[in-house]
Amino acid sequence: MSHISIEYIITLPQNEDAIYEGFTVLGVTEGGSENVNVYFEIPENGVMSANLPTVSDEDGHWRAVFHGKFRPGTEVTAYARGHDAALAHITKIL
């Protein structure tokens, strides 16, 4: 089984209403060119996204960008899974 990890969740700029315009999830796989499926959930209100597929670069780095409007203070848990990798997750308050 290969290894996958989530390193960061980075929020995208806020608009004038103090709402984040989305966020980016960054991670690393054991090898390059690995398929990664990423999704998130907001436990507070049960919102869960669909899988967003991405592929790691030759160094194993990958990124997934989730667009949408998110209020500051929202707790988000991001999940990532490769083809044969265990599920990785990270929680952040935006």
Side-chain angles (χ1 to χ4, degrees):
M1 181 173 289
S2 63
H3 177 75
I4 189 170
S5 65
I6 299 175
E7 304 297 316
Y8 302 103
I9 295 178
I10 300 171
T11 52
L12 300 180
Q14 291 179 322
N15 66 21
E16 56 278 351
D17 296 326
I19 300 294
Y20 289 109
E21 296 294 333
F23 60 92
T24 300
V25 181
L26 304 171
V28 180
T29 59
E30 191 171 67
S33 300
E34 289 190 36
N35 292 319
V36 180
N37 286 303
V38 187
Y39 66 96
F40 73 89
E41 68 178 2
I42 299 174
E44 178 179 290
N45 56 13
V47 173
M48 182 179 288
S49 72
N51 282 337
L52 182 63
T54 188
V55 178
S56 62
D57 66 16
E58 61 275 355
D59 296 320
H61 297 99
W62 57 266
R63 113 181 6 232
V65 178
F66 291 97
H67 299 283
K69 298 192 181 294
F70 300 89
R71 296 184 192 280
T74 300
E75 180 181 282
V76 172
T77 301
Y79 298 90
R81 183 186 300 273
H83 173 66
D84 63 347
L87 185 68
H89 70 279
I90 189 172
T91 298
K92 178 177 180 173
I93 296 178
L94 303 178

